[in-house]
Amino acid sequence: MTDVRRWDVPGRVNLIGEHLDYNGGPVLPMAIDRSLTIKVRNRDDDTINLWSDLPGSSKVAFGTGVQPGEVDGWAVYAAGIVWSFMSAGHQFGGADLVVESRIPSGSGLSSSAALTCGIASALNQMHDFGLDRTDLALLAQRAEHDFVGAPVGLMDQLAVLYGEAGHAVLIDTAQSPPTTDTVPVTWEADALTLLVINTRAHHSLADGEYAARREECERAAAELGVEWLSEATLDATIGLTDETLKARTRHVLTETARVRAAVNAINRGAWTQLGTILTASHASLRDDFEVSCPELDVAVEAALDAGALGARMTGGGFGGSAIALVPLDRVAIVRERVEARYAAQRWKPPEAFVVRAADGAHLVD
């Protein structure tokens, strides 16, 4: 390809703050050094040609006037961002795009946000639209909401775009638009690392359970008379008669407190305390928000048994990945313990790998 621009776009893990981005709570994700590459070349017509190295993928082509329902499979995310730009009045011609991914698909590491935000960043730069990173995040979110049909929050897009090496991104989702700040993550200086455990269990936010949790939170907020569920008080939950809504609210409120405590622990280098907070978050997601699954629970339990300071599921849930804060000299032991527990259940072998905080989407050349 000639006149090609190449972008590197990270996946992300959410350290803590799960399911708070649509409830007005703080979230603490970080971009990671597992990324995808997007190569883009403009065309003289209005055709989008799309190639990928994703398993089972083949060339996909559609026009810049693509509409919801006209593209399916993994390419729906690329089509969605094209539609989002065009429907917002940002007009452009066709393009050839090649996607090469090092983010495990369906792992809960936000490959969808990486794809949409990467293409958005490329279109913005190549056509001089002058949009800032928050603008791009909002366009990518709209692509998932209104084209793909997944009512996601804005955390993943902001993490992918605002990521910074050596830092997590603290996002205040109650602001409009959300505001971001960086938090240095220095556990490696104390011989610790962050281990991702990809359970290989099916993970898809478009399956309906994610949307159901969001609707439950909206109902709880309406009953409590608050704009954001995170603004309620624990005492107020007594007034909720529906036990499910009460449990969802309890998670949102306690998770909000855990994010603030986690930031404090990170700033002080209080890694044992941080580990305890991570594990408490998993218990809340498992019991009150009910978005865990046996594969995630076993991964967390095995990691803790093998010496992790803390562990929790990350991402929307129902599969995907767990994270664990692990002493460097225990990484192999944690990996072996998780693999052994999975083998005993006759599940697919998990994939465990170390990640570091990385820069957000950026032009390589």
Side-chain angles (χ1 to χ4, degrees), residues 251-263:
H251 166 73
V252 169
L253 299 182
T254 57
E255 187 79 347
T256 296
R258 281 187 290 268
V259 174
R260 294 176 179 140
V263 171

Side-chain angles (χ1 to χ4, degrees), residues 27-91:
V27 292
L28 190 66
M30 73 180 202
I32 59 172
D33 54 354
R34 285 287 181 114
S35 62
L36 56 81
T37 297
I38 299 176
K39 300 174 185 176
V40 187
R41 177 180 64 185
N42 286 331
R43 295 177 57 87
D44 294 329
D45 56 21
D46 62 356
T47 298
I48 304 292
N49 289 319
L50 190 63
W51 293 266
S52 172
D53 63 354
L54 294 171
S57 63
S58 58
K59 176 188 173 184
V60 177
F62 51 86
T64 54
V66 65
Q67 295 297 309
E70 294 180 353
V71 177
D72 57 16
W74 73 274
V76 70
Y77 295 96
I81 196 65
V82 169
W83 170 85
S84 188
F85 265 78
M86 298 293 282
S87 62
H90 306 298
Q91 304 294 307

Side-chain angles (χ1 to χ4, degrees), residues 19-359:
H19 289 274
L20 296 188
D21 56 340
Y22 56 83
N23 281 303
V27 292
L28 190 66
M30 73 180 202
I32 59 172
D33 54 354
R34 285 287 181 114
S35 62
L36 56 81
T37 297
I38 299 176
K39 300 174 185 176
V40 187
R41 177 180 64 185
N42 286 331
R43 295 177 57 87
D44 294 329
D45 56 21
D46 62 356
T47 298
I48 304 292
N49 289 319
L50 190 63
W51 293 266
S52 172
D53 63 354
L54 294 171
S57 63
S58 58
K59 176 188 173 184
V60 177
F62 51 86
T64 54
V66 65
Q67 295 297 309
E70 294 180 353
V71 177
D72 57 16
W74 73 274
V76 70
Y77 295 96
I81 196 65
V82 169
W83 170 85
S84 188
F85 265 78
M86 298 293 282
S87 62
H90 306 298
Q91 304 294 307
F92 55 92
D96 293 327
L97 299 98
V98 176
V99 179
E100 300 168 348
S101 181
R102 295 167 296 283
I103 305 171
S105 180
S107 59
L109 303 181
S110 206
S111 57
S112 59
L115 181 58
T116 54
C117 291
I119 296 175
S121 298
L123 293 174
N124 184 48
Q125 187 270 337
M126 296 182 77
H127 297 287
D128 296 320
F129 289 135
L131 302 172
D132 65 23
R133 287 177 288 184
T134 300
D135 293 331
L136 298 178
L138 289 166
L139 285 169
Q141 182 192 39
R142 186 175 180 227
E144 293 213 45
H145 271 211
D146 299 336
F147 198 96
V148 178
V152 297
L154 202 58
M155 175 186 70
D156 293 350
Q157 296 85 356
L158 291 171
V160 164
L161 291 164
Y162 280 96
E164 185 177 320
H167 294 74
V169 182
L170 178 62
I171 304 170
D172 182 351
T173 69
Q175 300 300 312
S176 184
T179 58
T180 64
D181 197 4
T182 55
V183 177
V185 288
T186 59
W187 47 64
E188 291 183 0
D190 291 317
L192 298 169
T193 195
L194 194 68
L195 188 70
V196 170
I197 305 166
N198 177 14
T199 67
R200 299 186 188 272
H202 177 68
H203 168 86
S204 175
L205 296 186
D207 283 351
E209 288 292 341
Y210 180 95
R213 295 302 182 281
R214 184 163 185 157
E215 188 271 337
E216 289 163 349
C217 290
E218 290 170 353
R219 281 198 286 136
E223 286 195 27
L224 293 170
V226 293
E227 179 182 3
W228 300 107
L229 190 54
S230 63
E231 295 174 341
T233 64
L234 278 172
D235 290 344
T237 62
I238 298 172
L240 293 171
T241 57
D242 186 303
E243 290 300 320
T244 296
L245 297 189
K246 189 177 293 187
R248 305 295 186 255
T249 302
R250 187 164 53 243
H251 166 73
V252 169
L253 299 182
T254 57
E255 187 79 347
T256 296
R258 281 187 290 268
V259 174
R260 294 176 179 140
V263 171
N264 181 276
I266 290 169
N267 286 334
R268 293 186 294 109
W271 306 126
T272 300
Q273 181 184 0
L274 177 62
T276 300
I277 294 166
L278 297 179
T279 304
S281 173
H282 182 79
S284 181
L285 288 159
R286 180 192 64 212
D287 300 336
D288 282 341
F289 221 68
E290 297 182 281
V291 292
S292 190
C293 66
E295 292 89 345
L296 285 167
D297 294 340
V298 167
V300 167
E301 292 162 6
L304 294 171
D305 289 347
L309 299 187
R312 65 183 288 274
M313 57 156 279
T314 188
F318 316 108
S321 294
I323 56 172
L325 186 64
V326 182
L328 284 171
D329 61 1
R330 306 291 296 180
V331 170
I333 297 168
V334 170
R335 184 183 288 115
E336 291 167 4
R337 184 71 59 86
V338 175
E339 289 173 349
R341 296 277 180 88
Y342 270 53
Q345 296 288 339
R346 299 187 177 181
W347 292 336
K348 296 178 189 176
E351 177 189 14
F353 50 90
V354 168
V355 295
R356 295 177 174 83
D359 288 328

